Amino acid sequence: MSHCLAVLVQTPAHSQIAGALSYRSALALPAGTLVRVPLGKREMLGLVWDAPDPGAAQAPIAPEKLRSLIGPLEGLAPVSPAWRQLVTFAAGYYQRSVGEVALAALPPQLRELSTVQLARRLKRHAKAGTPNAANGVSDEDPTVLTPEQALALARFEAESGPFLLFGATGSGKTEVYLRCVQNLLTTQPQAQAMVMVPEINLTPQLEARFRSRFEPLFGEQAVVSLHSGMSPAQRLKSWLAAHSGAARIVLGTRMAVFASLPQLRLIIVDEEHDPSYKSGEGARYSARDLAVYRGRLEGAKVLLGSATPSLESWHHSRPAAQGGRYLRLEMPSRIGLDAALPLVRRVDMTHQPKRCVIAPPLLDAIAQRVARGEQSLIFLNRRGYAPVLHCSDCDWKSECPHCSAYRVFHKIDRTLRCHHCGYTERVPRACPACGNPDITALGRGTERLEEHLAELLADVRRPNSVSEQWPAGEPVRIARIDADSTRLKGELSAQLARVHAGEVDVLVGTQMIAKGHDFRRITLVAAINADGALFSSDFRAPERLFGLLMQATGRAGRDADISGVSEMWLQTFHPQHPVFEALKRHDYPAFAAGQLAEREQAALPPFSFQALVRSEARTQETAQGFLNAASAAASSMADGAALLQHITLYPSVPMGMQRVADVERAQMLIESPSRAALQRFLSAWQAVLHSTRGQAEGKGLLRWAIDVDPLLI
Ligand code: ADP
Ligand code: ZN
Ligand code: ZN
């Protein structure tokens, strides 16, 4: 007797094979079993999605007519029903096919290795699977919790959550995470915990802390990582350890939210506001939001942590009487002798010399730090030397021929580089349009700021106490950290190590340096152009700016040896702006209240729900035409009127970056006061988008994708 099984395989994004394929199997394999199946001439990884149908005889295709699946992956337990439910939900909510989401959530090597190779890996893993004996004691001295930490932990243990841990930078959130995990794992011998962090380069620090705390307690295999910086073999190894239950703790970036954890009881999302939790391709999921969903699904407690929560999470954690769904745990105090929050100083640029880049009082402050052997961190959110080259004779500018953007001047290798499509050329000797040899750099990026600072600080000398291999009276050392200076693997950590070792006095960089690094000797942080985000068309720009600046101030003054208050300098033309007023008082709640009031008035998230459809085509006309046609066709859908009742479809517009690599891009915003109404509409509208795309055939390239709860509009 043979069975008919529904099996998910990886399907191309637009293939419309949304559901599972049917295969014949001699075995009644349970749902969740990983199998190999033939597809066309190839052999592929598949995932049994539905258990054998008892009424298989009445199936539309008789089992005899189906192809047989090749067989299950031996030695691998099926993924859990909860995992399948998570995938089903994510696919539905983010408007992608279940097959795509499910297969993308599995480690790539499961798909790529041949049956024989894979069998070998699994065998090796099974052998290594017996955890090394743990001695049951941690090497670390137990930290005595602060009263705030103790209270947060007690409430966490007593309530069910979800929780928002609102703790200042340096308030000891990590210690709270460690205790939550420890309490769980010691009281429940099978339980597993997942801890998510936003960036790969933050995982090594956290991983080290988790390993030193938990390996002595729970064995050497207890902690595994999952992030995209790992080799495929490492990822498979971690995944298998989590899936088999051998790993008790999974540390990872957003992809970890889909890890298979049969005994998941706790999910921690650190820096929950961080935009990198939102995926930018495929199913554009929010790992934070899925973590909350998954927690409810699996009965796992969820703890979100941040010093500057997303306004969505903050709003959810309002008092229950006002409709809040999360429990807010507060830890306002920083730990340490002298860990007062930095003093925020606003430099009113309207009162500074014209066109000055660094205001004289700020320059003085930096020079004083150098002379005292302390470090300064200077932010500018623009890399390269200058954002554009310009000819003042004919007005030529270094436009990218393929994008609606200027190519950035990089002085170090004398190139003009497009940061969007990568198109790179040597800098011309003279204006390509009129031959004028005097082409000038307009504006300023990190490279130029670094050069400028070196000139301004040329006469400043270091003291002799900082570093032994460095004689007294040496000139100031300036370093730059941005995407250009850290292109090579390992370069970022090498540069950070130099900063930590005190070899750098002034660090210039982009937002890359703001997050998570613990720069103990830094006593001054400055934002050169703090105004950028205030007047952006993106309603989330102030939220991101505030978070970034609070993070940056949190980086300052962590070293108890350094006396005196550290400082955060803001160069602005709008010193009285409420964002800066709130920042000055380190008052996130006031900032959030102001922003939420504005958003409520404008019916923006979290008071409404949004989705974006983006389209790409050879011409802007095609890209927008497609969106407008799909929009017009929405009303003629079955139930169209009912579905559209609570939906606003905005006209299509060119994207902010309208053309990238010769592809024109457009987008259309869809809004609703009801999440459910938006979901119903999008699900029904998918078919319209597909058929509109079908009718546009023959016009060459045309792609579209839906982004639910978009972060960048
Ligand atoms: P956050 O993650 O909230 O920014 P951290 O967890 O990094 O803060 O803690 C800041 C510093 O305080 C760290 O150096 C940490 O080791 C220390 N710390 C945390 N909890 C305690 C405690 N209970 N007693 C003493 N030091 C602590
Ligand atoms: Zn010219
Ligand atoms: Zn380009």
Side-chain angles (χ1 to χ4, degrees), residues 243-256:
H243 178 67
S244 70
R248 308 284 310 276
I249 302 162
V250 172
L251 287 178
T253 51
R254 67 169 178 256
M255 66 158 71

Side-chain angles (χ1 to χ4, degrees), residues 400-405 407 418-423 657 659-662:
C400 175
H402 307 290
C403 304
S404 50
R407 280 173 301 163
C418 175
H419 288 183
H420 301 280
C421 72
Y423 181 69
M657 266 298 300
R659 189 165 54 102
V660 170
D662 292 320

Side-chain angles (χ1 to χ4, degrees), residues 219-232:
E220 252 174 47
Q221 292 215 343
V223 185
V224 299
S225 304
L226 265 182
H227 57 75
S228 61
M230 296 164 65
S231 74

